[in-house]
Amino acid sequence: MGLLTIGAFAKASRLSPKALRLYDELGLLTPARVDPVTGYRLYAPEQLEQARLVAWLRRLGMPLARIQHVRTLDAAGAAREVRAFWGQVEADTAARRDLAAFLIDHLSWKDPAVSPTAKPLGIRYAALSDTGLVRESNQDTAYAGPRLLAVADGCGSRGAPASTAAVDALKHLETAGIPAGDLLNVLEEVIDRARQAVHDIAGSGSSPEDTGTTLTALLWTGSQLALVHIGDSRVHLLRDGELFQITHDHTMVQTMVDEGRLSPEEAASHPQRSLLVRALGRGADTTPDLRLHDARRGDRYLLCSDGLSTVVPTRDIHRVLSETGEPEQAVRELVALANGSGGPDNVSCVVADVLELQR
């Protein structure tokens, strides 16, 4: 079979002539020959397989630059790259789904406090932060108050003031009245405040690019908890005896797990398991996860830095949260577990119990 005209090649490859001209200009799919007189593009039949691959990748929504890279790989490498791309698409979709769920809950929620039969709820809480047994200083910040629970894990040359500044940017929520319709706007505003506070701290140091912090916080609204989360600090919920992790780590390793490149078991021992893809700091992706959680009497929440979660098995965290009575006792025992496992990092814990208030 001889060379195909652009029309015939477009029909066979399921790509439009306009797309083929664009891909030629970008060097993505170069014709086998261009007629020097007419300028018509001619394609070889053996180019059809590559063209069809490009067509399918475009249907997936893959950017042209990434398609160009896929075309340079062998079949196995191309399959891995497609798997990685689709894993990222699913992660991005999950983030948008969480935001959609937040908006739906926020817009449709009816405050049970307006019901005369509703029993008011409150929280009992404790916070503890410890340097650990290896680090020379503590770059974590832990805070617990009547309305705000927060953990931040600083990094870099000014990590300690960065984590403190991020949490301090939220503390006005303890006293500020928040109209129900303004909750989402308030959360966006506090993230902007925290982002600017960390930026200012980083700018006052000698190495501003390496200064940053995670930020994970819960804002108590009376019967709901609004979650703001950036980084790899975590929130766990103990409910009816079961322990649930309700945050998603923003780390390179977790991204690789999401994309199918690593198993959870491989991720647990990966040397770059603490490398963040989202954090508060210069040049970082500071997009937060936002969620609303309906609180129930008897719920117990744990916020912790990775100084706990990376060294203490989940089963031991579950046991402590299940068996200890007061939040103060729980945070002391969790910190002791981390230090008993070598205390390689700073460790911070906040424990809060949801209970009925006396009228």
Side-chain angles (χ1 to χ4, degrees), residues 29-104:
L29 193 60
T30 304
R33 179 172 175 266
V34 177
D35 189 288
V37 177
T38 64
Y40 288 165
R41 294 170 173 84
L42 301 170
Y43 294 83
E46 54 266 27
Q47 290 183 280
L48 279 172
E49 184 176 352
Q50 283 289 323
R52 288 166 179 157
L53 175 61
V54 170
W56 285 114
L57 293 176
R58 287 300 289 158
R59 285 194 181 188
L60 282 180
M62 184 177 287
L64 293 175
R66 195 160 185 174
I67 293 175
Q68 181 73 284
H69 174 61
V70 170
R71 289 184 63 251
T72 66
L73 304 175
D74 60 19
R80 286 193 297 269
E81 189 66 17
V82 173
R83 184 183 299 113
F85 168 75
W86 192 247
Q88 184 59 53
V89 170
E90 290 183 325
D92 292 344
T93 301
R96 292 196 297 272
R97 182 178 63 242
D98 288 344
L99 179 57
F102 181 102
L103 289 169
I104 291 168

Side-chain angles (χ1 to χ4, degrees), residues 97-121:
R97 182 178 63 242
D98 288 344
L99 179 57
F102 181 102
L103 289 169
I104 291 168
D105 289 346
H106 174 58
L107 293 170
S108 61
W109 181 63
K110 299 293 188 294
D111 190 341
V114 301
S115 170
T117 62
K119 296 180 179 180
L121 298 175

Side-chain angles (χ1 to χ4, degrees), residues 238-288:
L238 181 70
R239 173 175 286 176
D240 298 329
E242 297 293 326
L243 187 66
F244 306 93
Q245 181 180 330
I246 61 175
T247 51
H248 192 74
D249 292 348
H250 299 147
T251 61
M252 181 62 71
V253 165
Q254 183 60 54
T255 299
M256 294 171 73
V257 172
D258 297 339
E259 294 175 350
R261 298 186 185 187
L262 285 179
S263 68
E265 294 74 23
E266 291 170 329
S269 58
H270 196 281
Q272 294 182 311
R273 60 185 178 276
S274 296
L275 183 61
L276 297 174
V277 295
R278 284 198 235 171
L280 292 177
R282 287 194 174 186
D285 181 353
T286 60
T287 306

Side-chain angles (χ1 to χ4, degrees), residues 243 313-324 333 337:
L243 187 66
T314 302
R315 64 179 180 277
D316 292 335
I317 295 175
H318 189 182
R319 175 181 56 78
V320 170
L321 293 175
S322 300
E323 296 178 1
T324 54
E333 291 196 18
L337 278 177

